């Protein structure tokens, strides 16, 4: 009898060892979006808690419209933490790297179009001109990417095997699947043409998409979306419907996705050729798809962006 119980216990242990472990899951509402955390490992539940707190803290710190944020303190001339200063410095460096296409000081422009209040409107040229002259921080274009980085560093201090963090369209992966297969991340098709485009990544990686379908309003049949061209103060109109950037550095991925959306395919491809330290997928408004050679894109036809050509149609 004892032997049989022992055998059963052994079988049960073996079965649980083989069965796919279920993740700890948490949904967090912050940064004006929905975030879904899935974490595997011994301390997964604890990690979900720690990550939720970190996200809510980041939301408080970086909410440009809140008087309690670090940005409000900065405006008031008060000192900010080293962490806040380093994020601001990195954001300005990314502005320089993208020739100003990513601009973390466009608060007044985005506000003029009503994207903070939700009272959407098309501002006059005079309003746009004066908003462009105001240099007030809005880190909305990078903060979810920075959050991904921060969450990864918190996970690495815990007994956690792997995680997939969907931070409102920004996907941050961590660790590897049990068999070492890559993570497969689906790209939303902006014009819903029935394609199922996916990219594959391994380890800790940020897959960040900026698109004209994520936040927009329409007046007289014209779509006004939330990614501004810093040169015009109007929604960027570069022929791109969405850009996905894949990069180990979350904040860089996020800034580049916004910048490439503003720059469009040709200038965006040139920016990639300068460093080739990230991968990108461009979905154009005409339905065509372009991707850098290392993007590991599948699920539809696409043109590979050439590393050599410069200044020409990729
Ligand atoms: P999402 O936040 O929808 O994932 P993005 O990462 O592209 O998309 O960020 C867009 C947000 O960044 C806008 O809502 C606004 O707050 C801010 N923003 C808009 N235009 C720019 C720009 N050219 N550079 C930097 N930030 C921008
Ligand atoms: Mg971005």
């Amino acid at each position: 009898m004892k032997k049989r119980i022992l055998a059963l216990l052994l079988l049960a242990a073996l079965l649980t060892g083989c069965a796919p472990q279920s993740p700890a899951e948490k949904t967090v509402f912050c940064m004006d979006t929905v975030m879904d955390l899935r974490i595997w490992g011994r301390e997964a539940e604890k990690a979900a808690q720690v990550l939720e707190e970190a996200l809510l803290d980041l939301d408080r710190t970086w909410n440009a419209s809140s008087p309690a944020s670090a940005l409000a303190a900065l405006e008031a001339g008060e000192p900010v933490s080293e962490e806040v200063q380093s994020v601001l410095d990195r954001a300005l460096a990314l502005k320089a790297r993208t020739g100003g296409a990513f601009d973390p000081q466009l608060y007044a422009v985005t506000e003029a179009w009503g994207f903070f209040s939700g009272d959407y409107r098309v501002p006059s040229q005079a309003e746009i001109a004066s908003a462009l002259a105001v240099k007030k921080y809005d880190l909305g274009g990078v903060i979810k990417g920075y959050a991904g980085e921060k969450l990864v560093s918190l996970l690495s201090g815990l007994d956690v095997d792997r995680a997939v963090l969907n931070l409102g369209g920004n996907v941050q992966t961590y660790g590897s699947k049990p068999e070492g297969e890559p993570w497969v991340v689906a790209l939303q098709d902006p014009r819903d043409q029935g394609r199922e485009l996916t990219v594959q990544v391994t380890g800790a990686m940020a897959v960040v998409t900026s698109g004209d379908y994520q936040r927009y309003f329409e007046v007289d049949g014209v779509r006004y979306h939330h990614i501004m061209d810093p040169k015009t103060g109007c929604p960027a109109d570069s022929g791109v419907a969405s850009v996905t950037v894949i990069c180990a550095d979350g904040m860089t991925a996020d800034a580049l996705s916004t910048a490439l959306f503003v720059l469009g395919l040709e200038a965006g491809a040139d920016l990639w050729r300068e460093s080739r330290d990230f991968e990108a997928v461009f979905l154009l408004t005409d339905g065509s798809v372009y991707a850098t050679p290392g993007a590991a894109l599948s699920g539809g036809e696409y043109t590979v962006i050439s590393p050599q050509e410069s200044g020409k149609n990729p």
Side-chain angles (χ1 to χ4, degrees):
M1 184 63 184
K2 251 191 189 163
K3 261 192 189 159
R4 260 179 63 191
I5 292 175
L6 211 67
L8 278 175
L9 281 176
L10 198 69
L11 185 69
L14 276 174
L15 283 176
T16 31
C18 296
Q21 195 191 15
S22 54
E25 294 182 295
K26 192 172 269 293
T27 301
V28 184
F29 296 92
C30 73
M31 299 180 193
D32 224 5
T33 187
V34 184
M35 303 196 172
D36 283 305
L37 315 178
R38 304 182 79 208
I39 307 166
W40 290 259
R42 207 180 61 80
E43 290 191 302
E45 291 291 344
K46 177 180 170 189
Q49 200 67 40
V50 170
L51 266 47
E52 177 180 36
E53 277 161 31
L55 284 169
L56 296 175
D57 187 52
L58 281 168
D59 196 12
R60 278 190 292 272
T61 304
W62 294 103
N63 182 346
S65 306
S66 158
S69 71
L71 292 173
L74 193 78
E75 288 283 313
E78 289 165 22
V80 291
S81 71
E82 248 177 61
E83 181 184 347
V84 166
Q85 193 56 54
S86 108
V87 170
L88 294 172
D89 292 346
R90 285 175 69 193
L92 291 175
L94 286 159
K95 175 179 179 176
R97 173 175 174 180
T98 59
F102 167 78
D103 186 343
Q105 292 174 303
L106 284 182
Y107 181 93
V109 174
T110 299
E111 186 184 40
W113 288 86
F115 282 105
F116 291 123
S117 63
D119 294 332
Y120 304 122
R121 52 189 287 276
V122 179
S124 69
Q125 276 307 320
E127 274 179 274
I128 291 172
S130 59
L132 277 169
V134 178
K135 295 279 169 232
K136 185 174 167 184
Y137 279 109
D138 162 32
L139 277 276
V142 277
I143 212 60
K144 287 185 284 177
Y146 175 66
E149 282 178 30
K150 187 152 188 178
L151 300 191
V152 161
S153 81
L154 289 168
L155 287 173
S156 66
L158 290 158
D159 189 358
V160 160
D161 302 326
R162 59 193 189 279
V164 182
L165 315 170
N166 190 335
L167 311 176
N170 284 32
V171 176
Q172 174 70 57
T173 60
Y174 173 77
S176 302
K177 289 199 189 175
E179 304 298 326
E181 322 97 88
W183 297 108
V184 179
V185 181
L187 307 188
Q188 204 174 328
D189 193 343
R191 301 296 183 265
D192 221 359
Q193 293 169 334
R195 289 180 295 210
E196 287 187 17
L197 297 169
T198 58
V199 292
Q200 299 192 2
V201 296
T202 43
M205 202 60 79
V207 182
V208 177
T209 301
S210 288
D212 65 2
Y213 58 93
Q214 285 159 328
R215 201 165 296 195
Y216 66 91
F217 64 96
E218 279 177 353
V219 176
D220 298 333
V222 180
R223 177 188 294 219
Y224 298 97
H225 61 76
H226 72 313
I227 302 172
M228 300 294 152
D229 184 338
K231 287 205 174 113
T232 62
C234 297
D237 183 17
S238 63
V240 171
S242 83
V243 183
T244 299
V245 170
I246 305 155
C247 182
D249 184 290
M251 189 163 159
T252 302
D254 207 348
L256 290 177
S257 75
T258 307
L260 296 187
F261 187 96
V262 171
L263 291 170
L265 176 61
E266 290 186 28
D270 278 342
L271 187 70
W272 168 73
R273 289 185 185 105
E274 280 173 17
S275 60
R276 295 212 248 145
D277 58 353
F278 62 92
E279 303 297 337
V281 180
F282 294 80
L283 273 61
L284 304 191
T285 48
D286 67 8
S288 57
V289 182
Y290 289 78
T292 55
L297 178 68
S298 52
E301 302 245 317
Y302 69 97
T303 306
V304 178
I305 297 170
S306 156
Q308 277 86 37
E309 288 174 67
S310 188
K312 293 187 210 120
N313 207 330

